[in-house]
Amino acid sequence: MSAALAERGEDFLAEFARRCASLPGALATREAAARRFAAAGLPTRRLEAWRYTDLRALAAVSFAPAAAGADAAALISALPDFAAPRLVLVNGKIAPASSSFPEGDGVGSFARTPDFALRCVPLAALNTMLAEDGAVIRVADGVDAATLALAHLSLAEAGQPIAVHPRHLIRLGAGARLTLIEYATGQGCYWHNMVAEIALGAGAQLTHIRLQTEATAAFHVATIFADIGAAARYDCFTLGLGARLARTEIHARLDGAGGIAHLNAAQLLRGAQHGDITTIVAHDAPGGASRQTVKSVLADRARGVFQGRIEVARAAQKTDGYQMSQALLLSPEAEIDCKPELEIFADDVKCSHGATIGALDPDQLFYLRARGIPEKLARTMLVRAFLDEAIEGIAHAGARAVLDRAIARWWEAEG
Amino acid sequence: MLEIRGLHAGINGQEILRGIDLVVPQGEVHAIMGPNGSGKSTLSYILAGREGYEVSAGEILFDGRDVLVMTPEERAVAGLFLAFQYPVELPGVGNANFLRTALNALRRARGETELDAVQFLKRARAALKALMMPDDMLKRNVNVGFSGGEKKRNEVLQMAILRPRFAILDETDSGLDIDALKIVAEGVNALRGPDFSALVITHYQRLLDHIVPDRVHVLAAGRIVRSGGPELARALEESGYAGIAAEAA
């Protein structure tokens, strides 16, 4: 069953052997990652963390590294206006001519200042092994860095699928603030396998708004590690609309007292799209709070996955954890798999989880239609209402407008 | 304008309407009264096009057009409006957005120009004022957290803004106190004229003191058993449905 997965894994190791001398950063870290990846390979469904997401479709594709000089002008000009400085990456590399760096030396590139740690998660190990570039964003203690946009564009020529492994590092000092709008899109068949390492100092606040509108033939895997300090707050919202197969995997660690993590997501999938939201929240310190609301709208044969794991260490008393998965199935063939996992070693905690799965309410649909609203528009209104609850919570008006427009475009394409 | 001929219909294999014949000419307001279970709500849902009902015989014509082949939205475009007995809550859908979307969908389908936000608000505020409803009604989600009376008033607000040519009011009086009842009745009366007709479905005569009908029909066990002028409603109030039904049998 996993022969194709093993073979594809070998391809990436061979690529590493060919290119390791030219890749930036500590070779020892990359070699350690390569050993990890060689041992684990591309994950199979036998791995509990990958039980609902099958990478065989990805393994069937023969990816090459991206060639330099792809012409991304059309994709760049189609980027939404983020009303903020933006970093643009094309095929995993920062495109300086299209980027507007904010003042100061806080923002740079991974290629110039590589800074990465070994991560054991298999696809993060693959990224560690092959990462060429990415954004490095550092905000000094007490600084409010306002808003920054990070756009990743992938561009594969017809008949030549590519794999890119950008590596981002976001570090906020004590009391620092940043809103990061992350945007991923592209053309053709590619695999965007990104890793972001986030570290928040005491009292820091990062609002991370992510919009994934990858090409329909693409694969998207985002692995995010967020270490959240005392009284720091990580607010993450992911909207997944694109890609043939997408997985967002967030490892949040609350390692200082009173830290807060909000890991919300919404996905809107159709056709045979597969969208996986996996979160692992580790409460290692007392008084932390984590909240997750994941909303999935699944049409046609689309399949959604939400795996939410909350680990509460013995020391993490007074932890407040909550997770909720809500799915709207628009077709009898759509499917959602929800797996909550709570592992609690402290005795004074509040942790809860819930899941709802349903279709559009025929009474609501009839009510709208009886007022003259055509059926398709009525359905759109009800789905929007379902999603809006997730998007309303986004305080950043500009980012909310970008998400709104992306959802509106999704529905236009549906027509 | 509305003609119902020999209508037999039911749900889940159970026949509820057993041969309804009813004609409401243009410009007239007719009342349908009847005990619980007589088929009043079934009739209103079938007129509006709710799914799940089986029509086994008969026809419904609106301006000579076959209503039964039309979708609910097509019926609305033709000018039919059902004020629901149990208005549906729409969490996440704002009342103003809902009303404007509905109004513009109707206008678009009729080849009229759509109203922009300013024009719409002007019309909506005028309707709110006439119905003595607060402006914040527009900001709330449709029927969410509304009291029973507020929901009914919201139905009448929709009617006032959408201006149908034919309204079916399904027990719009239930759950209203006397002041609200008068406001609702005034809302309906304001629309009355040569181009507006209505079918007022009610359990009680009370509403008909304020919306005086041209004709009153008594529905019992799926058939219209008596028809008459407004005086029939008062007679019913005195003798009760049992008397009328027995008399008709």
Side-chain angles (χ1 to χ4, degrees):
Chain A
M1 157 182 135
S2 58
L5 288 166
E7 194 181 317
R8 197 58 59 218
E10 292 297 329
D11 287 353
F12 286 118
L13 287 163
E15 182 189 338
F16 175 63
R18 279 197 309 276
R19 303 179 61 212
C20 61
S22 64
L23 293 168
L27 185 59
T29 306
R30 292 188 187 269
E31 283 173 336
R35 282 193 295 276
R36 285 272 178 202
F37 183 69
L42 286 172
T44 73
R45 292 184 55 212
R46 281 190 220 128
L47 235 63
E48 182 60 28
W50 287 87
R51 196 161 144 196
Y52 302 106
T53 294
D54 191 338
L55 288 181
R56 277 179 299 173
L58 179 146
V61 179
S62 177
F63 297 101
D71 180 12
L75 285 173
I76 289 168
S77 66
L79 280 174
D81 178 10
F82 302 106
R86 70 178 194 197
L87 284 181
V88 176
L89 285 90
V90 176
N91 288 346
K93 288 185 187 163
I94 289 186
S98 306
S99 300
S100 50
F101 293 84
E103 282 181 35
D105 54 4
V107 177
S109 77
F110 176 88
R112 285 207 301 182
T113 54
D115 183 347
F116 55 178
L118 175 63
R119 295 291 186 177
C120 299
V121 177
L123 298 184
L126 172 62
N127 173 287
T128 306
M129 187 170 97
L130 291 172
E132 285 181 77
D133 202 357
V136 175
I137 301 162
R138 295 174 197 274
V139 183
D141 291 358
V143 171
D144 184 342
T147 305
L148 184 64
L150 176 62
H152 188 278
L153 308 174
S154 305
L155 197 67
E157 299 291 333
Q160 186 48 71
I162 57 167
V164 295
H165 311 271
R167 182 80 169 206
H168 308 297
L169 181 87
I170 298 120
R171 262 178 220 283
L172 270 59
R177 287 175 175 231
L178 174 68
T179 294
L180 180 67
I181 304 174
E182 192 190 319
Y183 184 79
T185 193
Q187 258 175 31
C189 175
Y190 56 89
W191 180 17
H192 177 195
N193 177 41
M194 63 156 273
V195 168
E197 290 186 86
I198 296 168
L200 305 183
Q205 290 189 22
L206 175 64
T207 302
H208 192 184
I209 299 158
R210 312 179 61 245
L211 172 56
Q212 184 271 101
T213 59
E214 303 278 24
T216 49
F219 300 89
H220 173 100
V221 177
T223 312
I224 297 171
F225 300 93
D227 290 331
I228 300 157
R233 177 177 174 132
Y234 179 51
D235 257 314
C236 183
F237 177 81
T238 300
L239 175 64
L241 301 176
R244 168 179 173 187
L245 180 151
R247 167 148 158 146
T248 296
E249 178 177 320
I250 304 178
H251 299 254
R253 180 172 300 280
L254 296 151
D255 52 16
I260 296 172
H262 287 187
L263 309 179
N264 297 326
Q267 50 185 355
L268 197 50
L269 307 175
R270 65 179 150 218
Q273 281 183 296
H274 178 103
D276 174 339
I277 311 280
T278 293
T279 61
I280 300 95
V281 181
H283 285 269
D284 285 353
S290 61
R291 294 271 175 285
Q292 290 152 269
T293 301
V294 173
K295 294 199 163 215
S296 303
V297 178
L298 305 167
D300 307 327
R301 286 157 293 130
R303 184 159 177 196
V305 177
F306 173 52
Q307 308 186 93
R309 182 175 170 84
I310 302 177
E311 300 166 353
V312 183
R314 196 176 302 275
Q317 299 294 356
K318 305 280 182 198
T319 284
D320 181 358
Y322 169 84
Q323 60 175 233
M324 170 58 87
S325 164
Q326 295 175 318
L328 195 52
L329 305 184
L330 301 181
S331 117
E333 290 147 292
E335 195 179 320
I336 176 103
D337 291 296
C338 296
K339 186 178 70 176
E341 286 178 283
L342 306 181
E343 190 179 80
I344 301 170
F345 292 104
D347 50 20
D348 182 13
V349 302
K350 200 165 79 181
C351 273
S352 61
H353 63 86
T356 65
I357 300 171
L360 284 179
D361 182 337
D363 287 338
Q364 294 182 338
L365 210 49
F366 173 61
Y367 191 68
L368 290 165
R369 295 178 69 193
R371 294 296 174 255
I373 299 173
E375 183 175 6
K376 185 168 176 280
L377 181 55
R379 286 178 175 277
T380 308
M381 286 176 78
L382 294 177
V383 173
R384 285 305 301 261
F386 173 81
L387 286 176
D388 276 353
E389 214 185 332
I391 291 164
E392 266 167 15
I394 294 168
H396 194 283
R400 210 173 47 231
V402 170
L403 300 182
D404 271 336
R405 279 197 297 275
I407 293 173
R409 271 201 307 277
W410 191 91
W411 280 105
E412 282 161 23
E414 180 78 359
Chain B
M1 155 163 259
L2 181 77
E3 299 166 64
I4 303 174
R5 308 243 180 247
L7 185 69
H8 287 255
I11 193 163
N12 299 329
Q14 191 195 342
E15 187 169 61
I16 296 170
L17 302 181
R18 302 188 169 105
I20 301 258
D21 289 286
L22 177 69
V23 175
V24 183
Q26 186 164 339
E28 291 193 6
V29 172
H30 288 203
I32 289 192
M33 302 183 72
N36 285 333
S38 58
K40 302 192 301 290
S41 285
T42 298
L43 178 61
S44 70
Y45 280 139
I46 287 174
L47 284 169
R50 187 185 174 135
E51 282 175 18
Y53 292 94
E54 303 125 24
V55 174
S56 50
E59 61 177 3
I60 302 174
L61 300 176
F62 185 61
D63 288 339
R65 290 173 65 195
D66 182 357
V67 168
L68 292 172
V69 301
M70 294 159 77
T71 63
E73 52 268 40
E74 286 168 346
R75 299 178 199 208
V77 170
L80 279 169
F81 178 95
L82 168 65
F84 283 59
Q85 184 182 2
Y86 301 108
V88 178
E89 296 186 8
L90 303 175
V93 180
N95 221 8
N97 175 35
F98 165 60
L99 281 165
R100 192 173 153 216
T101 305
L103 181 61
N104 281 336
L106 293 174
R107 294 180 72 93
R108 209 160 44 234
R110 292 170 186 157
E112 300 164 6
T113 54
E114 297 182 29
L115 296 191
D116 65 26
V118 176
Q119 293 167 318
F120 167 76
L121 270 181
K122 206 174 149 196
R123 188 194 266 214
R125 291 225 171 92
L128 281 163
K129 202 172 164 205
L131 293 166
M132 297 204 276
M133 289 160 76
D135 278 6
D136 75 351
M137 197 87 168
L138 291 176
K139 290 184 195 141
R140 296 165 69 182
N141 283 345
V142 180
N143 295 324
V144 178
F146 283 30
S147 69
E150 281 177 322
K151 284 182 181 171
K152 295 304 180 75
R153 279 156 70 160
N154 201 31
E155 294 293 291
V156 178
L157 174 68
Q158 292 169 36
M159 184 173 74
I161 290 172
L162 301 179
R163 297 180 193 161
R165 294 167 53 236
F166 193 106
I168 304 139
L169 289 96
D170 189 1
E171 300 203 17
T172 300
D173 50 336
S174 64
L176 291 183
D177 61 31
I178 187 68
D179 292 330
L181 185 81
K182 281 182 184 163
I183 294 167
V184 163
E186 279 163 26
V188 176
N189 288 332
L191 291 174
R192 284 181 86 160
D195 295 324
F196 177 80
S197 316
L199 197 55
V200 180
I201 295 172
T202 181
H203 207 70
Y204 305 104
Q205 189 237 336
R206 197 175 67 148
L207 179 64
L208 304 181
D209 288 340
H210 302 282
I211 305 174
V212 179
D214 296 296
R215 298 280 291 166
V216 174
H217 309 278
V218 179
L219 189 65
R223 279 193 197 93
I224 289 177
V225 294
R226 279 284 291 276
S227 294
E231 71 286 349
L232 179 57
R234 280 189 286 278
L236 270 175
E237 190 81 349
E238 284 159 25
S239 61
Y241 290 115
I244 295 286
E247 209 178 298

